[in-house]
Amino acid sequence: DAGITQSPRHKVTETGTPVTLRCHQTENHRYMYWYRQDPGHGLRLIHYSYGVKDTDKGEVSDGYSVSRSKTEDFLLTLESATSSQTSVYFCAISREPPGRTDTQYFGPGTRLTVL
Amino acid sequence: GESVGLHLPTLSVQEGDNSIINCAYSNSASDYFIWYKQESGKGPQFIIDIRSNMDKRQGQRVTVLLNKTVKHLSLQIAATQPGDSAVYFCAELPASAGGTSYGKLTFGQGTILTVHP
């Protein structure tokens, strides 16, 4: 998984509680991404980062926030979890944007269940 | 909006056969495509990529073909093995007006490949 770890790997939480997922990389890649994967929707981009403290929204960013205080860590926070956020979350990294010299490499995923 | 899709959701083959997985894309301005393999319980794994200025690219046992005329992408796997059983996704990088899309890939739904011994 290209030096990418995600924690926790599994989490069950209740509606309305805050949740933070962590992505950690040892590759020193500049770009990091958070996706969610759901049946019938494939992988959808939530947020991405193009450097420390530089982040932007993806396709499905509502209800999520991110932070990147260090190159190696990218945090995804659900301020108040809802059942619609039950999903598998994947972190990805790349040295450059795809289409240049590199592509995106994915972590093992976090399965989140919101009851 | 434009999207990337797949013709067939499932494909079953016998071990040793060649497999072909297809993908149709609708954004004629897309200039970069990637194939990923995802095994159960794991994250997507990069297989091969191709730029729009190419028609064909080969890797180890895999070949990607790009037909820009009909906006069609295919992944060919030679001598398919049981370990190739997985979901295969194509992904598209839409070209942005500013020339920088920060890798905001659009993924297809995926095709389930099952290889029977």
Side-chain angles (χ1 to χ4, degrees), chain A residues 9 31 33 35 37 40-43 45 48 50 90 97-108, chain B residues 32 34 36 38 41-46 49 51 89 93 99-109:
Chain A
R9 294 294 314 280
Y31 298 88
Y33 313 82
Y35 290 89
Q37 185 176 41
H41 292 280
L43 283 158
L45 182 66
Y48 62 97
Y50 46 98
F90 287 100
R100 293 188 183 178
T101 61
D102 197 7
T103 188
Q104 291 182 21
Y105 298 92
F106 286 80
Chain B
Y32 183 65
I34 307 172
Y36 285 94
Q38 186 175 24
K42 296 184 179 181
Q45 177 185 1
F46 171 84
D49 59 359
R51 299 178 186 275
F89 297 92
L93 184 68
T100 302
S101 57
Y102 289 120
K104 288 191 280 186
L105 295 168
T106 299
F107 289 84
Q109 294 296 308

Side-chain angles (χ1 to χ4, degrees), chain B residues 54-83:
Chain B
M54 303 172 68
D55 297 323
K56 179 180 180 179
R57 191 171 188 207
Q58 289 184 295
Q60 186 178 9
R61 281 200 307 118
V62 296
T63 301
V64 55
L65 299 177
L66 177 62
N67 186 331
K68 295 179 286 294
T69 301
V70 295
K71 294 195 283 291
H72 184 267
L73 190 69
S74 68
L75 176 70
Q76 300 179 357
I77 305 174
T80 315
Q81 303 167 0

Side-chain angles (χ1 to χ4, degrees), chain B:
Chain B
E2 298 180 337
S3 63
V4 177
L6 294 170
H7 291 303
L8 299 174
T10 62
L11 178 64
S12 293
V13 300
Q14 292 296 128
E15 182 177 1
D17 288 350
N18 295 332
S19 302
I20 300 176
I21 301 171
N22 297 303
C23 177
Y25 65 95
S26 56
N27 188 344
S28 57
S30 292
D31 57 5
Y32 183 65
F33 304 87
I34 307 172
W35 279 101
Y36 285 94
K37 171 187 179 183
Q38 186 175 24
E39 297 174 277
S40 180
K42 296 184 179 181
Q45 177 185 1
F46 171 84
I47 301 174
I48 193 167
D49 59 359
I50 189 168
R51 299 178 186 275
S52 60
N53 61 353
M54 303 172 68
D55 297 323
K56 179 180 180 179
R57 191 171 188 207
Q58 289 184 295
Q60 186 178 9
R61 281 200 307 118
V62 296
T63 301
V64 55
L65 299 177
L66 177 62
N67 186 331
K68 295 179 286 294
T69 301
V70 295
K71 294 195 283 291
H72 184 267
L73 190 69
S74 68
L75 176 70
Q76 300 179 357
I77 305 174
T80 315
Q81 303 167 0
D84 295 326
S85 294
V87 177
Y88 290 80
F89 297 92
C90 61
E92 164 191 24
L93 184 68
S96 65
T100 302
S101 57
Y102 289 120
K104 288 191 280 186
L105 295 168
T106 299
F107 289 84
Q109 294 296 308
T111 291
I112 301 171
L113 175 65
T114 303
V115 182
H116 301 282

